[in-house]
Amino acid sequence: MDELKNIEHQDATVRILLAHLGAAMIATGQAAHEIEAELVEVADRLGYPQLQVAVSPTGLILSLCSGDPATYESVVAPVRLDQASEVHRIRQQLIRRKMTPDDALALLSTLRARPVRYSVWLARLAWVMISLGIALILQPGWANAALVIVCSVVVYGLMAVGNQARVLAYLLPTVAAFVVTIIVFVAAEFEWIEGPLRTILPPLAPLLPGALIVTGLSELAAGHMQSGTSRLSYGVVQLGLFAVGLIAATSLLNVPAEMMVNVRVDNIGWWAAPVGLLLIAVGICLMESIELSLVPWVLLVLLMAFGAQLSGQTLGSAAIGGFFGAIAASLCASLVEQIRPESARLVLFLPAFWLLVPGSLGLIGVTTLVADPGRAIETGLEVATVICAIALGLLIGSSVGLALRDPQG
């Protein structure tokens, strides 16, 4: 009888552990099909090779064996990248049998209580650094970069107010896009800047659902229909909320169609892109509480993604550039994880989404549809092609990385 109780207790502990681990992995933004595969691997190492698991963007349900009791665990909110790195470490320790289920469960239960590594003012500075870094790549003009700094401070202030007011938190995409668009187009009206449409994007880029949309498409491509459809639908709705704010502001100002053209300004010089990449890498580490020792590795992934994207655009089109960039970022992150097992691939790879800017492309596309309805089909197809190319590149890069990690798999 005591032995039976011990077995039941062990089964319950492992089931709860896997549920908490899976929920934490969902909170990191990882694709559902990858989470299911990695949970099956952990369960197998713990002696439960018949794990049944179904993952969605908001929770998961699992059973140690078909017909056994099942557990559901919901996901409250996303986690920071330093917390995502801890989730990766726990999973690795479980696979290597260097951590007991009880110890792992104890660490996961305190995961969200982990304090931030850097002070609040550094996190604020990081937001400005990331926005400026994206501006130096997307719209490298002196006046544009200065205006992006101002707008990024405004967006951060709106986020801070949104944390205290639930209504503003729900409407943050629309309100942020509206306010930034007003500031940028007023500056353009006074001829302080050129290329206002691209100048709007950098302060909003960290909020845009580019990673969400591409992850949803990759899940659909992997056959995970429910998760992929829900994630993609949510991302498109969020993108629509940004577009509503942008279009409302341009309508209020009666902005002429010629000012809403996708024009790139470049009067800083060749060094704008390298400095931009460095600012993005350092800014992400500060904002997400990542150890600064990881900055060179994050920067390496960004450089590989940027180089591949630029080469693809030079050889073909934006879609080819996005395809090559996604492959390079995903594959490079996987290789770094093999060299440094303590470095989570997801932590190294996610910053590349802001570089590939699929969300920015989508926002440009939606705005262009309104400014020039005659090109609706052409513009829509161009944006959809680029985002699908990035998703396909991500899927291929992840598959190759998995094959290199486990040649027998």
Side-chain angles (χ1 to χ4, degrees):
M1 184 65 70
D2 290 340
E3 183 178 354
L4 180 59
K5 288 183 177 180
N6 288 336
I7 293 175
E8 291 177 350
H9 174 74
Q10 180 182 351
D11 290 351
T13 300
V14 172
R15 188 168 61 248
I16 294 172
L17 165 64
L18 293 174
H20 282 223
L21 178 61
M25 293 167 71
I26 294 172
T28 66
Q30 193 171 354
H33 58 280
E34 295 180 358
I35 295 174
E36 290 181 355
E38 292 180 2
L39 283 178
V40 168
E41 183 181 11
V42 173
D44 183 56
R45 292 301 179 94
L46 294 177
Y48 297 88
Q50 297 180 344
L51 180 72
Q52 304 285 309
V53 58
V55 174
S56 75
T58 57
L60 80 162
I61 185 168
L62 61 81
S63 174
L64 298 179
C65 182
S66 178
D68 276 7
T71 296
Y72 174 78
E73 188 71 25
S74 62
V75 178
V76 179
V79 296
R80 300 188 308 266
L81 289 184
D82 69 313
Q83 294 167 327
S85 182
E86 177 67 8
V87 173
H88 169 79
R89 188 186 73 84
I90 292 172
R91 189 182 68 83
Q92 290 291 95
Q93 294 284 69
L94 287 170
I95 289 175
R96 296 170 184 168
R97 296 175 181 171
K98 293 183 177 180
M99 182 180 293
T100 66
D102 288 327
D103 290 340
L105 191 55
L107 289 173
L108 287 171
S109 64
T110 60
L111 178 69
R112 292 183 180 275
R114 286 170 61 96
V116 294
R117 182 174 274 108
Y118 308 110
S119 62
V120 175
W121 71 268
L122 277 178
R124 294 169 182 167
L125 177 63
W127 186 273
V128 177
M129 292 173 64
I130 293 170
S131 299
L132 178 58
I134 295 173
L136 292 177
I137 295 170
L138 198 63
Q139 190 70 309
W142 287 109
N144 304 77
L147 190 59
V148 164
I149 293 175
V150 174
C151 290
S152 64
V153 173
V154 172
V155 172
Y156 190 89
L158 289 172
M159 287 179 56
V161 175
N163 290 335
Q164 306 298 323
R166 183 174 298 181
V167 174
L168 180 57
Y170 292 151
L171 298 177
L172 181 62
T174 302
V175 174
F178 180 84
V179 173
V180 170
T181 302
I182 291 288
I183 294 172
V184 171
F185 275 105
V186 167
E189 287 283 351
F190 282 96
E191 298 184 351
W192 294 339
I193 64 165
E194 298 178 10
L197 185 58
R198 277 180 171 255
T199 309
I200 293 169
L201 300 174
L204 300 175
L207 293 176
L208 290 171
L212 198 65
I213 292 173
V214 174
T215 301
L217 283 172
S218 69
E219 288 172 335
L220 285 173
H224 218 290
M225 294 174 286
Q226 183 179 10
S227 181
T229 301
S230 58
R231 204 185 299 265
L232 181 60
S233 300
Y234 179 75
V236 170
V237 169
Q238 290 294 302
L239 191 61
L241 291 175
F242 280 102
V244 167
L246 193 153
I247 294 167
T250 55
S251 300
L252 179 65
L253 295 175
N254 197 24
V255 176
E258 56 267 21
M259 288 188 65
M260 297 177 67
V261 177
N262 184 8
V263 176
R264 187 175 191 270
V265 177
D266 188 358
N267 56 27
I268 290 183
W270 64 268
W271 55 269
V275 172
L277 293 173
L278 180 60
L279 286 173
I280 293 172
V282 175
I284 287 172
C285 289
L286 291 176
M287 188 171 68
E288 297 289 338
S289 291
I290 304 173
E291 295 179 8
L292 289 181
S293 60
L294 279 180
V295 169
W297 300 103
V298 173
L299 184 59
L300 174 63
V301 176
L302 288 171
L303 284 170
M304 295 298 292
F306 180 75
Q309 184 181 29
L310 192 62
S311 299
Q313 290 175 346
T314 303
L315 294 174
S317 63
I320 296 176
F323 177 70
F324 286 167
I327 290 179
S330 183
L331 186 56
C332 183
S334 296
L335 292 175
V336 171
E337 185 182 44
Q338 289 190 50
I339 297 172
R340 289 173 49 96
E342 67 276 13
S343 303
R345 182 186 68 86
L346 190 70
V347 173
L348 298 170
F349 171 72
L350 280 180
F353 271 118
W354 291 338
L355 183 62
L356 297 172
V357 289
S360 300
L361 290 171
L363 187 55
I364 288 177
V366 173
T367 307
T368 304
L369 294 181
V370 178
D372 188 4
R375 296 185 63 243
I377 296 178
E378 179 184 351
T379 302
L381 286 175
E382 288 176 357
V383 173
T385 300
V386 172
I387 294 178
C388 288
I390 294 173
L392 182 60
L394 167 61
L395 196 61
I396 292 175
S398 300
S399 300
V400 174
L402 180 61
L404 292 175
R405 188 184 71 180
D406 184 14
Q408 304 299 324

